[in-house]
Amino acid sequence: MIRSIDELETIFDSFAPSISGGARGSRLQRMRRLLSLLGNPEEGFRTYHVAGSKGKGTTAAYISALLTGLGRKCGLYASPHLFSVRERFTLSGSFFPDDLSIEACNRLIEMAASLSFPPDMGPEKPTTFEMYTAYAYLLFSMAGCTDAVIETGLGGRLDATNTIHPQAVFLTPIELEHTDVLGSTIAEIATEKSKIITPSTPVFSSFQAREAEEVFRHEAEAQHSPIYFLSDCIGDFRSRTLPEGEECSFTIDGRRFDLMLSMDTRAMAENAALAILGASRLDLLSDEGLRLLQSTTLPGRFERRMIEGHLVVVDTAHTVHSASSAREAFTSIAGEGGTLILALVDGKDEEGIVQALLPPFSKVIITKPGSYRRSDPERLLSKAKSAFPDKDIVLIEDADAALDSALSGSSGILITGSFYLPGEMRKLRKCYEP
């Protein structure tokens, strides 16, 4: 049992980190047992399911804003977190009250204590992500949420979140990522993501590679679910990064949208358009929702900070498309030159990301994104030096030291490549302290 909100992260971290080997196939069975024990709290509100390689967190946040604009009480479950585990469970962009968060956690721990999985199903007790997911559903239920937007963790087919019956499914762009788990091709990864499509449920997809689009069309047809691709439904799409935000415009269903988003990059504009497409077809649009969408922010999504007189942009680009988008947005506000701090976990398209990110930077610091996920910074350094032999590229494995080094020189700094990287930097963590 916990007594303070500060204990929340510690209690979740005490559970098994993951499921490996042959037991992976038991993931949904395990999750259903846990939810049944809790009385299936996920059935008490409408849900909207979001999967993809990149942009699913911001897309989910935009959908949540549109629902909130209708006067609905909408929870948002997202992952991973950068600085606080509470980032995973929010209500209208804010944390849930401390007392409710503590009460929901203690109820979950008490009820899960009696659960014991057999050896052939993996760890005896729920994993951390299973507990996160169950906690989100229980917290939303106890808070009286009418709606909840649920972001998948990894993949889709075996993800713990794939235990809901959503009102709609949203699919963000598919790229090569987590290739060690999800597959080595776009089609294989898309197949894993496509399995969140449920029978007769509307599906909304962002711009996709041809291989991914074919997979999604096939799965939607098999499930008798209507599918709408942004590429078929959007017109006159434009986006540019300005000092005050991301200015974008487009038309959907004959209506023109002129927006100024608080989160920069063309990728964010595409995510906003996907959320608006879904809301338009589901009759969920309102002026208040569009206002809330434009003011929506999330930690680490091309987030601008001033640290010791330096412009520091914190981003979480870990695919080729998002890396290109981050590079374009950064140079539009800071110009060429500056310092890039880059870290990637295993399973990413390292060569593609290096080619997409490095060209405009005068100095590149390769570092390590903590120890939560496997990474090989020396391998990344070798690939970066091979691709750009004339650039100033160095390895500083300690992320905190990497930021200190960057602050000693360049006035413009982009930190990107991994969700886990910003949390390793002391000066960034201080920006988020109350």
Side-chain angles (χ1 to χ4, degrees):
M1 298 298 173
I2 66 172
R3 293 181 175 81
S4 73
I5 199 66
D6 294 333
E7 299 175 74
L8 196 63
E9 189 155 359
T10 302
I11 197 69
F12 282 119
D13 286 346
S14 68
F15 289 85
S18 61
I19 303 171
S20 59
R24 289 186 68 246
S26 302
R27 283 180 171 179
L28 296 186
Q29 188 178 354
R30 289 168 56 92
M31 194 64 203
R32 290 189 182 104
R33 286 194 186 186
L34 175 57
L35 293 175
S36 177
L37 186 68
L38 300 177
N40 293 109
E42 77 283 1
E43 296 178 357
F45 40 80
R46 294 177 291 260
T47 56
Y48 305 80
H49 211 179
V50 185
S53 298
K54 193 69 179 76
K56 58 185 187 292
T58 50
T59 300
Y62 286 144
I63 298 166
S64 178
L66 293 171
L67 290 166
T68 300
L70 292 173
R72 299 185 182 183
K73 193 170 187 178
C74 185
L76 172 62
Y77 175 45
S79 62
H81 62 273
L82 271 71
F83 301 100
S84 167
V85 70
R86 299 184 75 185
E87 296 167 22
R88 294 173 180 258
F89 325 100
T90 54
L91 177 67
S92 302
S94 301
F95 294 150
F96 283 86
D98 288 6
D99 55 351
L100 180 63
S101 299
I102 293 170
E103 181 185 356
C105 181
N106 285 335
R107 184 180 299 184
L108 173 62
I109 294 168
E110 181 180 5
M111 300 181 78
S114 62
L115 185 61
S116 180
F117 296 113
D120 62 338
M121 291 180 66
E124 181 182 3
K125 293 298 180 183
T127 66
T128 295
F129 191 72
E130 288 167 343
M131 290 292 282
Y132 280 151
T133 305
Y135 176 72
Y137 297 157
L138 187 60
L139 180 62
F140 298 163
S141 176
M142 291 173 62
C145 289
T146 59
D147 298 77
V149 184
I150 309 298
E151 176 191 351
T152 59
L154 175 62
R157 179 173 62 93
L158 297 177
D159 193 76
T161 66
N162 201 20
T163 45
I164 57 176
H165 303 285
Q167 303 292 305
V169 165
F170 292 79
L171 298 166
T172 65
I174 303 301
E175 297 185 63
L176 293 177
E177 48 95 35
H178 294 300
T179 53
D180 51 335
V181 178
L182 301 179
S184 58
T185 68
I186 293 292
E188 288 174 340
I189 295 171
T191 297
E192 289 289 318
K193 310 281 188 182
S194 74
K195 299 305 179 181
I196 71 166
I197 298 175
T198 54
S200 303
T201 301
V203 181
F204 302 95
S205 172
S206 188
F207 300 112
Q208 300 290 355
R210 178 182 55 80
E211 302 94 321
E213 182 174 329
E214 290 177 355
V215 169
F216 292 153
R217 287 190 187 278
H218 177 77
E219 184 64 27
E221 182 180 354
Q223 298 294 340
H224 304 287
S225 297
I227 186 166
Y228 308 96
F229 286 90
L230 195 57
S231 55
D232 295 334
C233 303
I234 195 169
D236 196 25
F237 181 89
R238 299 179 184 180
S239 176
R240 61 173 179 162
T241 304
L242 300 175
E244 57 269 38
E246 189 71 14
E247 182 184 67
C248 62
S249 62
F250 47 84
T251 58
I252 289 178
D253 293 335
R255 178 176 175 181
R256 181 177 176 83
F257 297 89
D258 294 294
L259 309 174
M260 180 64 75
L261 304 175
S262 297
M263 291 190 285
D264 299 319
T265 76
R266 179 184 177 90
M268 298 300 177
E270 293 175 1
N271 297 338
L274 176 61
I276 289 171
L277 169 63
S280 176
R281 295 296 173 92
L282 297 172
D283 196 23
L284 299 174
L285 277 181
S286 69
D287 290 342
E288 176 64 9
L290 290 171
R291 186 191 68 79
L292 291 174
L293 179 146
Q294 292 178 86
S295 64
T296 294
T297 60
L298 290 174
R301 273 65 166 195
F302 206 86
E303 189 175 12
R304 308 181 200 189
R305 294 278 178 176
M306 291 302 297
I307 301 178
E308 298 179 3
H310 295 72
L311 171 64
V312 178
V313 175
V314 186
D315 198 40
T316 53
H318 55 255
T319 67
V320 174
H321 177 69
S322 60
S324 297
S325 187
R327 182 204 68 228
E328 292 172 2
F330 184 82
T331 55
S332 72
I333 61 172
E336 297 202 353
T339 298
L340 170 68
I341 302 178
L342 176 64
L344 293 170
V345 300
D346 285 356
K348 304 300 181 181
D349 183 359
E350 293 178 341
E351 290 89 349
I353 292 171
V354 162
Q355 290 287 349
L357 272 175
L358 269 60
F361 292 94
S362 298
K363 183 172 183 178
V364 178
I365 301 175
I366 304 297
T367 189
K368 188 174 182 179
S371 57
Y372 181 75
R373 292 283 304 276
R374 288 186 303 173
S375 65
D376 191 338
E378 291 186 356
R379 181 184 66 212
L380 181 59
L381 176 71
S382 176
K383 291 180 178 180
K385 282 181 169 291
S386 176
F388 298 95
D390 297 329
K391 277 196 178 291
D392 180 8
I393 306 175
V394 299
L395 173 63
I396 303 177
E397 287 206 13
D398 181 80
D400 211 28
L403 179 56
D404 285 340
S405 176
L407 289 170
S408 68
S410 176
S411 59
I413 302 166
L414 174 62
I415 301 169
T416 194
S418 170
F419 269 96
Y420 305 102
L421 177 58
E424 298 294 316
M425 297 174 171
R426 172 175 41 83
K427 288 186 174 69
L428 279 181
R429 290 198 305 272
K430 284 187 176 181
C431 294
Y432 293 86
E433 291 176 355

